[in-house]
Amino acid sequence: MQEKGTISIHTENIFPIIKKFLYSDHEIFLRELVSNAVDATQKIKRLSSLGQYQGQLGDLQVEVKLDKEQKTLTISDRGIGMTADEIKKYINQIAFSGATEFVEKFKEAKDANELIGKFGLGFYSAFMVAEKVEIQTLSFQDGAQPARWICDGSTEFELTEGNRTERGTDIILYINSESEEFLEEHRIQEILSKYCAFLPVPIKFGTRTTSVPDGEDAEGKPQYKQEEVDNIINNTQPIWTKSPSSLTEEDYLSFYRELYPMAEDPLFWIHLNVDYPFNLTGVLYFPKVKKEMELRPNKIKLFSRQVFITDEVKDIVPEFLMLLHGVIDSPDIPLNVSRSFLQADSNVKKINTYITKKVADKLSELYRKDRKIYEEKWEDIGMFVKYGMITDEKFYDKAKEFLLLTNTDNAFFTLDEYKEKTTPLQTDKNGELVYLYTTDPGKQDAYIQSATTRGYDVLKMDSPLDNHFISHLEHKLEKTRIKRVDSGTVDTLIQKDETIPLILTEEQSTAVKAAFEKQISKPGMQVSVESLSPQELPVTITMDEFMRRMKDMAQMGGGAGMHFYGTLPDNYAVTVNGNHPLISKIASADESEQQRMAKQAIDLALLSQGMLTGSDLTAFVKRSVEMI
Ligand code: ADP
Ligand code: MG
């Protein structure tokens, strides 16, 4: 048997195009060839179990071998093999059946994955790294003859009798001079660990030594010797392929450690398992993230039938779940097509919805099962929940049942519970419920105390995300306003009907206002004399809630429209409490005394806001010492 021929393709020398074009992703050739070997192995197993193959299965390992002298890399399997006719059909023709289309499209394609998958170029990706590829194969079929195919990357090939004596296939790559990195053991090991770590058939690469028992010495001590054993690089049965009921907590934890050796143990996990209307399995873990919003995306690995594809799951997993870790395996995700196509793909949309629902269900289950434990984990999961509520309408609807708010006493409330708690005291004269929050209990302590002495509750909203979350929540909740505790005096934050009469005369009030205005050294401060309760502070400096929120968002880099707010100067309201004894004293003092006291009162207010700094602070301290 001897045959020479031309690979059926309309364009001469397509390989140089492939080679050049697919430059960046060269390493995936190994994924493709090992997957083919695994496919062939799975097929012989299936035929055997169906009784269509009666022979011995034997040792079904796939082996990857390096020969530095020959400069070859060989992938061998004991799968179904190919007859010469099958080589013609599957290698010469099928791979390039879409050749014309390929040549049309290759200009638009963005990466190797895209072309290789779409045009069945899996096998041909070998030519990215090899100057010559040889196939030695023997089909499982009765009476089959071994066949050998060799091709140097032009469209010429040679098909002759082969030398394989056992069922299966060797793919021998004669590595080209630009690709010698693929003759390095560590490089091959690296690629195999990346793409092949969970393939369903054992993959052997080289050997390693291990200690094995070797009898006892004269004193009866056990002896060991070093022995070479096959180095199997993969775990053929990763947990996502198993049924959840057969797995223990330890199984999930140890798999997590296998995936992320450096990470802390996860909080909990979700086992995904659907087969209709799409096929998807996987395990998603909730890592410990804490407040710092440790954004480390690309922690979810995407597989297709246990072959690693990518860790960019951007369009498959809802954005707010990008912080999750774990694996997703789906043969139904179109892995090899472009981004824009992926976004429009209906399976991808369904998968997205499914994952969101599973995560919501899991959280709801945890909340219902043990509120105490749920509260303990809230610090870590709160951010997922809030982010999800902001970005995903459906998730909001589910999560509003198990979202927790925390107040300054570290008590937890659901939205319903909190509404019930605050309605009696925190409803203003217009029937609007006002929630108060602090972003920094230490700095805003004076304001918190003013609020709590009135019996008001103050929420803690101190994560970077809370800014956006508050705006979203306010938009969602009916007749509810959310204000930072220092964005007004207690009376203006929650306006009640009862008004307190001002004890200053109009004349005194004007004089006090003027005295304070004269002492203000910072720009953007508006003074007003108000009639507050005598228990309130004499002077309060506040920044309008809306303005502050917009500025904060602009600072966090939120949206184009936000930028405008970032450019505005800071504006503060200086509220002088006309009913406070100190202000009465200022009102009835002579002018120079008035100035001195006003200055001191303003500085005290600035000091409590953390706004008194530098030479102003030094002058204040000096003046205070003199006064004592
Ligand atoms: P795909 O794997 O998507 O079918 P490939 O280009 O990777 O495309 O392979 C083309 C065909 O060549 C396979 O479908 C299979 O029939 C055959 N083939 C490739 N490698 C092997 C192998 N190791 N053993 C048996 N058949 C193989
Ligand atoms: Mg393939």
Side-chain angles (χ1 to χ4, degrees), residues 32-41 43 75-77 79-82 86-87 89-91 94-95 116-117 119-125 135 137 168-171:
E32 294 300 320
L33 298 180
V34 174
S35 308
N36 284 352
V38 167
D39 289 347
T41 309
K43 281 178 194 156
I75 296 98
S76 306
D77 64 67
I80 54 169
M82 284 180 275
E86 282 167 339
I87 292 184
K89 195 162 144 203
Y90 298 131
I91 301 291
I94 295 284
I116 286 169
F119 298 98
L121 296 182
F123 170 75
Y124 280 93
S125 65
I135 303 176
T137 181
T169 306
D170 300 311
I171 307 286

Side-chain angles (χ1 to χ4, degrees), residues 87 136 289 292 398 625:
I87 292 184
Q136 288 280 5
V289 273
E292 311 92 69
K398 292 191 167 240
V625 171

